[in-house]
Amino acid sequence: MSVLVTGGAGYIGSHVVRLLQQRGEQVVVVDDLSNGRAARVGDATVVEVDLATDAAAPALADAFATHGVDAVVHFAARKQVGESVARPAHYWSQNVGGMANLLQAMETAGVGKLVFSSSAATYGAPQSAVVREDGPAEPINPYGQTKLVGEWMSRAAGVAWGLRAANLRYFNVAGAGWDDLGDSAVMNLIPIVFTALDAGEVPTVFGGDYPTPDGSCIRDYVHVLDLARAHLAALDHLGTEERPFDTFNVGSGAGSSVFEVLEVIRRVTGVDVAPDVRERRAGDPPQLVADVSRITSTLGWSTTKDLDDIVGSAWAAWKTNR
């Protein structure tokens, strides 16, 4: 199989690229390299282009034809909640515009399989402690809105021209499958704390007064290597005729608060982590935990690593690359 991975030089994408390579697939990476690094993807072909620009269509058409692409895994997108609140038009242009360009190119080339990188941000601030895929999808920030629209677009393409798509709603992704593929973007909690520790600074926590047991946000943390395995399972699922669902939560099914994560970081690093607790950040729901029964029963996927594994692998990669 030949698989094109958009955003494949980034943190999550590079893990999927490596797993695909390990099982003998041909991989083409499309990435603007704004956050990704070409060195992450080994001998994969790299096409440097921003999917939201006019240059994307001819670049994709050439890649599809040259490499006989059978399927696409789509990661390329902007992903910071706070930035999306401050720059909503930019997020719609990048995330929805990039998705539109990709789907048009796939339709033209006859590439009919897509695994889409969606997000738990599509749920917004759910009332239930654990969220199911068939529950309300009411995003409360532009980032989540663009991801939900991406799901709609993939589903509409299925109706219009037969696209087979799987939308994976990620919960909080962290850790490293290999030391050279650690999260270097410093956009998520664990690398943000590591950066503060390296600088001798106090890490910042946004919100200590949420309606949760310790006042901090609760999130479902999934190891990036487990998440990468979910993409391969979804890709394989698209080749089957029985596909009762097109949307899947990818998480551990258990929640950890920000303060609990900081405690694990203290234990793993041996460094005291006393945070500076500030006001809540716009667009953050108090709690997001996945119901993972659908992906387990349909794709046969489940997590293999816990929060200690996540923090331990993230710290090992961080020390290797700093």
Side-chain angles (χ1 to χ4, degrees):
M1 185 189 302
S2 178
V3 184
L4 186 145
V5 183
T6 74
Y11 168 51
I12 301 171
S14 61
H15 281 81
V16 171
V17 167
R18 187 163 295 183
L19 288 185
L20 287 169
Q21 290 170 325
Q22 286 183 346
R23 75 175 195 178
E25 313 289 9
Q26 180 184 8
V27 181
V28 181
V29 170
V30 172
D31 201 302
D32 68 3
L33 301 181
S34 58
N35 289 312
R37 299 199 305 267
R40 290 176 177 264
V41 302
D43 61 358
T45 299
V46 178
V47 179
E48 186 175 351
V49 67
D50 182 344
L51 284 185
T53 65
D54 291 340
L60 288 168
D62 181 67
F64 288 149
T66 301
H67 301 283
V69 171
D70 303 296
V72 173
V73 182
H74 180 38
F75 294 102
R78 305 303 168 195
K79 54 167 283 186
Q80 291 180 273
V81 168
E83 183 184 46
S84 80
V85 173
R87 303 181 65 195
H90 177 64
Y91 268 65
W92 283 84
S93 172
Q94 287 286 300
N95 294 0
V96 177
M99 181 72 160
N101 286 340
L102 175 64
L103 289 175
Q104 288 173 348
M106 291 178 68
E107 180 181 7
T108 300
V111 179
K113 297 176 183 175
L114 172 69
V115 178
F116 173 55
S117 167
S118 189
S119 171
T122 57
Y123 292 114
Q127 298 301 308
S128 58
V130 178
V131 292
R132 294 166 48 94
E133 294 91 342
D134 56 4
E138 300 172 342
I140 60 174
N141 54 65
Y143 166 66
Q145 292 164 356
T146 64
K147 287 298 186 178
L148 184 59
V149 170
E151 294 182 11
W152 295 346
M153 293 170 74
S154 72
R155 196 166 294 129
V159 173
W161 55 271
L163 176 70
R164 296 186 176 199
N167 305 304
L168 302 186
R169 290 178 176 172
Y170 307 170
F171 283 67
N172 280 46
V173 186
W178 296 270
D179 286 351
D180 62 321
L181 299 186
D183 187 357
S184 60
V186 195
M187 296 179 184
N188 300 313
L189 174 62
I190 292 172
I192 287 172
V193 174
F194 290 166
T195 300
L197 295 181
D198 276 356
E201 299 173 350
V202 174
T204 299
V205 170
F206 293 100
D209 60 349
Y210 284 99
T212 61
D214 65 14
S216 66
C217 287
I218 292 175
R219 295 291 183 267
D220 185 331
Y221 290 85
V222 59
H223 195 289
V224 65
L225 193 56
D226 282 333
L227 175 66
R229 290 192 305 103
H231 286 77
L232 269 65
L235 193 60
D236 293 342
H237 178 67
L238 294 180
T240 67
E241 292 305 316
E242 294 296 324
R243 301 185 313 280
F245 307 108
D246 66 0
T247 303
F248 302 92
N249 287 338
V250 187
S252 67
S256 301
S257 74
V258 172
F259 293 148
E260 288 171 336
V261 173
L262 294 181
E263 180 56 39
V264 175
I265 292 174
R266 287 190 192 97
R267 187 166 65 249
V268 168
T269 65
V271 179
D272 185 41
V273 185
D276 174 19
V277 181
R278 299 185 183 179
E279 293 184 0
R280 300 182 188 185
R281 185 174 56 183
D284 277 342
Q287 178 168 317
L288 273 177
V289 178
D291 180 322
V292 293
S293 57
R294 176 182 289 184
I295 192 170
T296 299
S297 62
T298 307
L299 304 188
W301 175 92
S302 61
T303 55
T304 63
K305 301 179 185 299
D306 62 16
L307 187 59
D308 282 81
D309 296 322
I310 289 170
V311 175
S313 64
W315 181 237
W318 186 265
K319 290 189 295 182
T320 297
N321 296 289
R322 65 182 175 182

